[in-house]
């Protein structure tokens, strides 16, 4: 069976068996009772990932609403969909992004083993290594103070101007690995076309000591180029001479002509190929802000951790394959329980932007309704992913997770060792106690008898009952190091891949992003004049004309 030999996932032989299992057993499974009946349940449904440096991440899937028979059926579903064939095609550089006729080869960006990895018959490894070497050399010049601004001062401020994957990835990683940062460097990220974003950033920096990274593959992205030109105009108010742009602006791009027109020396252009999707680009030149902030050695560890999870994904059998298990559970909840959302709650303040990063990874990848056979799918696809760091989020939306009418599968992430073990590690112990308690509480709930036993008035009892049986996947790392973070990101990349492979959709195009951008260009021209418009629907006409009146 080739990876495209089926059209509807719901026609796969095991799909019907899973539906039968859900109807007969799955929807009535009590995970609490399964733990009582099986002392080995944790061992059976947890998996350990050993990173390249010997560090470990424990993935505990045991609090999910599955038994051994259902788990075997989920693995069989993956075999029916032949996800291993699609996985192997991805790692072989085949053009699995068939709508755009592109390879999906971000995995080659973390090829620290220097294996031969080909696209269109050409080994891409030497070019990847060339760009990495350029990033290393440049970052060391900036971090050492050798690279100086137009007045001879060293660089103190790094401003990354990008959008989408050119922003979300670097923002998340620089925050997650802030412990490893060069603290006399300050990193800023500008993405929103709202002038407030660039204006507030420019207020905080000094043109003599600022390095701007303009991140746009084509160097034509409207929002990025507008913000970059605003930054350039601001810089020239002080520097005056356009020749100084070369000391303060670099490009993460492949369009040498446009980069040169802007005033950036093409020697300071960091390239990446068209087989690098935006949401998978933090491993590429787009990660230059990360390299500048945490240093190349740490970035290399980040890549090696990612490569280690790639190795696990390509070598482990399906039943032991951690990202595959995560993806299969997502399909189980999405398509059989009707769960529409997926919560990711890191119990780690450094990971506060991790859910936002995963939102693009998941929803831009699998927010699709047409399958590989060009048919409308007969089942639900991409989940609505959301999340915030705990314990803050426990005081906001966890009420809905515990007692709401919706089933919300959740991932909890914790590091055993804190980078900041203050007060005798009191804070980390309190954090950990919440990590363990929330997952246990979601699973066991609280019965009516238990509530009555506390002496609560009869009228209050129903309000204090918790149904329990709310599933969590618990991810416990030793410490959030560069290698750990690299592996965690790749876990979610390949989990997303697994979902898309089962649903038989193309997880690697994003045409849904484009329609609004096209319409915005034509409306933008209309906003350049004071004339009222009448060529849209009455709502859009009314809003545009009111905006023109008020903004004048």
């Amino acid at each position: 069976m080739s990876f495209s030999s089926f059209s509807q996932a719901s026609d796969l032989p095991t799909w019907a068996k899973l539906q039968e299992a859900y109807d007969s057993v799955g929807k009535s499974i009590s995970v609490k009772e399964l733990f009582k009946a099986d002392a080995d349940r944790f061992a059976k449904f947890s998996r350990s990932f050993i990173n390249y440096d010997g560090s470990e991440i424990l993935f505990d899937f045991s609090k999910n609403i599955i038994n051994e028979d259902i788990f075997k059926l989920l693995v069989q579903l993956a075999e029916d969909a032949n996800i291993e064939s699609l996985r192997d095609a991805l790692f072989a550089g085949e053009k699995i992004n068939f709508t755009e006729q592109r390879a999906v080869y971000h995995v080659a960006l973390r090829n620290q083993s220097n294996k031969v990895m080909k696209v269109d018959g050409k080994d891409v490894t030497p070019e990847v290594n060339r760009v990495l070497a350029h990033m290393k050399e440049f970052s060391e010049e900036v971090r050492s103070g050798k690279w100086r601004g137009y007045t001879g001062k060293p660089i103190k401020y790094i401003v990354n101007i990008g959008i989408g994957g050119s922003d979300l990835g670097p923002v998340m990683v620089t925050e997650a690995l802030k412990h490893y940062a060069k603290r006399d460097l300050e990193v800023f990220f500008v993405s929103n076309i709202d002038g407030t974003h660039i204006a507030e950033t420019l207020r905080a920096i000094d043109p003599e000591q600022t390095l701007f990274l303009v991140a746009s593959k084509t160097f034509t992205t409207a929002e990025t180029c507008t913000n970059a030109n605003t930054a350039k105009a601001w810089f020239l108010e002080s520097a005056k001479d356009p020749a100084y742009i070369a000391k303060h602006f670099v490009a993460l791009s492949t369009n040498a002509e446009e980069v040169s027109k802007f005033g950036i020396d093409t020697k300071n252009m960091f390239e990446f190929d068209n087989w690098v999707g935006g949401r998978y680009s933090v491993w590429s030149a787009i990660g230059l802000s990360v390299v500048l902030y945490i240093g190349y050695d740490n970035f290399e560890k980040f890549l090696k951790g990612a490569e280690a999870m790639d190795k696990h994904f390509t070598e482990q059998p399906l039943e032991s394959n951690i990202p595959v298990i995560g993806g299969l559970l997502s399909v189980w909840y999405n398509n059989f329980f009707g769960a529409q959302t997926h919560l990711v709650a890191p119990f780690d303040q450094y990971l506060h932007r991790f859910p936002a990063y995963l939102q693009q990874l998941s929803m831009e990848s699998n927010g699709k309704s047409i399958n590989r056979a060009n048919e409308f799918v007969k089942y639900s696809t991409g989940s609505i992913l959301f999340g915030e760091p705990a314990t803050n989020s426990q005081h906001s939306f966890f009420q809905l997770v515990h007692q709401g009418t919706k089933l919300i599968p959740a991932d909890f992430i914790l590091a055993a060792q804190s980078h900041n073990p203050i007060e005798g590690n009191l804070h980390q112990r309190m954090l950990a106690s919440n990590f363990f308690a929330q997952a246990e509480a979601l699973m066991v709930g609280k019965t009516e008898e238990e509530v009555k036993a506390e002496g609560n008035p009869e009228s209050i009892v129903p309000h204090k009952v918790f149904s329990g049986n709310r599933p969590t996947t618990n991810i416990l790392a030793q410490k959030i190091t560069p290698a750990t973070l690299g592996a965690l990101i790749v876990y979610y990349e390949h989990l997303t891949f697994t979902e898309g492979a089962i649903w038989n959709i193309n997880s690697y195009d994003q045409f849904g992003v484009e329609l609004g951008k096209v319409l915005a260009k034509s409306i933008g021209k209309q906003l350049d004049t004071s004339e009222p418009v009448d060529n849209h629907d009455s709502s859009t006409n009314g809003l545009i004309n009111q905006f023109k009146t008020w903004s004048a």
Side-chain angles (χ1 to χ4, degrees), residues 167-236:
D167 172 79
L168 285 165
V171 168
M172 182 273 289
V173 176
T174 52
E175 286 295 302
L177 299 179
K178 183 178 281 188
H179 175 78
Y180 299 89
K182 182 176 169 60
R183 293 297 178 133
D184 55 358
L185 280 177
E186 295 182 47
V187 182
F188 298 83
F189 293 87
V190 175
S191 56
N192 202 331
I193 195 58
D194 183 344
T196 298
H197 205 180
I198 185 73
E200 287 294 340
T201 300
L202 296 178
R203 287 188 180 106
I205 61 178
D206 172 5
E208 296 180 35
Q209 293 187 277
T210 299
L211 180 68
F212 291 96
L213 316 180
V214 185
S216 171
K217 187 185 295 184
T218 61
F219 223 75
T220 57
T221 309
E223 298 94 336
T224 299
C225 290
T226 301
N227 279 325
N229 279 307
T230 297
K232 181 169 76 169
W234 170 85
F235 172 75
L236 289 174

Side-chain angles (χ1 to χ4, degrees), residues 378-390:
K378 298 177 181 177
Y379 38 81
S380 173
T381 59
S383 299
I384 301 163
L385 192 148
F386 73 105
E388 284 289 330

Side-chain angles (χ1 to χ4, degrees), residues 93-130:
E94 293 182 28
K95 295 177 181 177
I96 66 168
N97 178 357
F98 68 97
T99 54
E100 298 178 301
Q101 280 300 296
R102 288 181 184 172
V104 179
Y105 223 31
H106 49 275
V107 294
L109 298 169
R110 52 227 192 196
N111 175 22
Q112 291 291 294
S113 302
N114 286 314
K115 298 186 295 285
V116 173
M117 301 187 76
K118 293 181 179 180
V119 174
D120 292 327
K122 180 184 177 183
D123 183 11
V124 302
T125 303
E127 177 61 15
V128 169
N129 287 340
R130 184 192 68 78

Side-chain angles (χ1 to χ4, degrees), residues 284-471:
S284 73
I286 292 298
L288 182 60
S289 56
V290 179
V291 179
L292 288 163
Y293 197 45
I294 67 171
Y296 186 81
D297 288 348
N298 283 316
F299 188 74
E300 190 173 64
K301 293 173 185 174
F302 175 62
L303 296 178
K304 286 180 177 178
E307 182 187 36
M309 185 61 83
D310 283 335
K311 189 171 187 289
H312 172 94
F313 181 60
T314 55
E315 294 180 359
Q316 286 296 313
L318 297 176
E319 64 272 14
S320 304
N321 199 305
I322 293 169
V324 169
I325 294 170
L328 290 171
L329 288 169
S330 177
V331 170
W332 175 233
Y333 294 123
N334 190 313
N335 296 111
F336 298 93
F337 284 81
Q340 296 180 323
T341 59
H342 186 112
L343 165 62
V344 177
F347 285 67
D348 192 298
Q349 187 59 30
Y350 282 129
L351 292 176
H352 71 106
R353 295 297 292 164
F354 196 49
Y357 173 80
L358 295 180
Q359 283 177 335
Q360 185 193 22
L361 173 63
S362 176
M363 293 195 282
E364 192 168 271
S365 294
N366 287 341
K368 312 289 170 57
S369 55
I370 303 298
N371 66 18
R372 288 178 171 272
N374 296 329
E375 301 169 345
F376 199 93
V377 296
K378 298 177 181 177
Y379 38 81
S380 173
T381 59
S383 299
I384 301 163
L385 192 148
F386 73 105
E388 284 289 330
T391 54
N392 284 23
S393 53
Q394 293 173 199
H395 293 265
S396 56
F397 56 74
F398 267 50
Q399 170 64 43
L400 180 66
V401 183
H402 276 282
Q403 287 186 302
T405 58
K406 297 173 175 63
L407 181 74
I408 303 174
D411 295 354
F412 293 166
I413 304 170
L414 175 73
Q417 299 171 30
S418 173
H419 287 294
N420 300 290
I422 57 177
E423 300 289 337
N425 217 26
L426 170 66
H427 290 259
Q428 193 68 6
R429 292 198 305 275
M430 288 180 67
L431 184 69
S433 69
N434 280 272
F435 171 85
F436 301 126
Q438 287 291 337
E440 185 175 37
L442 284 164
M443 180 188 75
V444 302
K446 196 171 191 179
T447 65
E448 183 177 342
E449 291 72 22
E450 288 171 325
V451 176
K452 286 180 178 177
E454 293 173 346
N456 288 288
E458 197 68 34
S459 61
I460 298 299
V461 168
H463 299 276
K464 290 195 170 185
V465 170
F466 291 71
S467 64
N469 226 41
R470 308 287 174 120

